[in-house]
Amino acid sequence: MAQALRRLSGLIIAVLAGCIYMGLAEAPRSYLLVNGGALVCAIGFATFLKRPSPGLGTIALTGIAVLFCIATLFSRIEMEGVQRWIGMGPIRLHAGLLLLPVIVSFLPDLRKILALLAVFVLGLTISLQPDRAAAVALLLGVLTLATAKRDRWSFGMLAVAAMGCVGAFWQQDPLQPVQFVEYVVIDAWQFHPLIAIILSGALMLAFVLPLRGLGLRNNIHLFAAMATIMGFAIMSLLGPYPTPLIGYGASAIIGYGLVLGLATSREIVRGNGS
């Protein structure tokens, strides 16, 4: 129980901090309800899901998740030529924030050629959407894998992810920022500097607390997934891209919960490992 609470505490702190800011800044009440509902879903996923053993289960889950990302290119959900979302009834979910961290966490358990193919397909999809934030997120996630593994396949995946990043940045990104979704920390600073500092600290805790005391090599799935989410967070400070966890949006919150469930071993290995 203590281990589960430690894993979840960063997520809960970040989402609640974001909800408090949105309430103070008079965001639509529906924003708070969506994020609160997503937090409940994320806690459920983190509690009851279990990382699959390497094999057909991992291959199937990775394939399904990649197909959902590809589906954005054929979805009717489009804004100014940008296609990053999948529709589930009345709900619109950002495919990258929802699925990309989990996919990256599965890569170490795939056959090397399948992992390379998955990164290639993702990089191509992201460059066609286009989504610069997702491209950087994928690059940071694969970079974390390459740092741990240091083999030619990992560096090959890193090169492919870098090419996808170049492709995404080559495309125009015409979307305009939406309040409480993008530029959350910057807008919070204008609202009150102390609020911005608290939000930034809460977001950092969401990355630090689940990884505290863990070794990289023995917990590479979780480290790679968190690096991917961090890529989205970094890009949200640099351009009009969604701010995960503390901004309005269910995708990042549910995606984080999926990571805690599917990328975390039930027997955490502490220390540096080998």
Side-chain angles (χ1 to χ4, degrees):
M1 178 64 70
Q3 177 180 303
L5 287 175
R6 182 179 65 81
R7 291 202 314 267
L8 285 165
S9 57
L11 170 65
I12 294 171
I13 291 170
V15 175
L16 291 182
C19 287
I20 291 171
Y21 160 63
M22 287 190 286
L24 293 173
E26 299 181 350
R29 189 169 299 179
S30 61
Y31 287 14
L32 280 68
L33 294 175
V34 168
N35 279 23
L39 177 60
V40 173
C41 292
I43 292 173
F45 288 142
T47 303
F48 296 109
L49 292 181
K50 184 177 181 181
R51 193 175 86 199
S53 300
L56 290 178
T58 301
I59 294 173
L61 287 174
T62 304
I64 292 169
V66 171
L67 286 175
F68 268 106
C69 292
I70 296 172
T72 60
L73 301 177
F74 305 96
S75 171
R76 295 181 180 179
I77 304 175
E78 178 180 333
M79 294 180 65
E80 300 182 41
V82 175
Q83 299 169 294
R84 301 172 185 164
W85 303 274
I86 50 178
M88 305 185 82
I91 301 173
R92 185 180 69 181
L93 296 172
H94 188 290
L97 286 166
L98 179 67
L99 298 172
L100 194 58
V102 170
I103 296 173
V104 171
S105 76
F106 287 156
L107 294 179
D109 291 338
L110 296 176
R111 292 178 60 183
K112 293 175 180 178
I113 187 64
L114 292 178
L116 183 63
L117 178 62
V119 174
F120 172 78
V121 172
L122 287 170
L124 180 61
T125 301
I126 289 168
S127 65
L128 292 174
Q129 287 176 334
D131 190 344
R132 296 174 181 175
V136 171
L138 177 63
L139 183 64
L140 287 184
V142 175
L143 175 61
T144 303
L145 292 177
T147 301
K149 290 186 169 294
R150 300 182 183 180
D151 58 32
R152 61 178 183 175
W153 286 97
S154 297
F155 289 118
M157 287 192 294
L158 184 60
V160 171
M163 288 188 288
C165 203
V166 171
F169 275 82
W170 191 267
Q171 304 290 331
Q172 293 294 323
D173 191 346
L175 286 185
Q176 298 300 310
V178 177
Q179 189 178 17
F180 302 114
V181 178
E182 289 91 10
Y183 290 130
V184 171
V185 174
I186 296 172
D187 288 344
W189 182 272
Q190 295 175 351
F191 181 79
H192 195 291
L194 180 59
I195 297 294
I197 294 171
I198 292 173
L199 286 176
S200 300
L203 187 57
M204 290 180 63
L205 285 176
F207 300 121
V208 172
L209 291 180
L211 302 176
R212 184 167 59 91
L214 303 185
L216 170 61
R217 293 192 179 184
N218 289 320
N219 300 280
I220 185 59
H221 308 81
L222 184 58
F223 272 86
M226 286 297 166
T228 306
I229 302 173
M230 189 177 296
F232 284 107
I234 292 171
M235 286 301 291
S236 74
L237 297 172
L238 303 177
Y241 303 102
T243 306
L245 307 182
I246 59 173
Y248 167 62
S251 303
I253 299 171
I254 296 174
Y256 190 106
L258 291 173
V259 163
L260 291 184
L262 295 173
T264 306
S265 172
R266 290 295 175 259
E267 296 182 359
I268 296 293
V269 181
R270 298 188 178 275
N272 292 328
S274 58

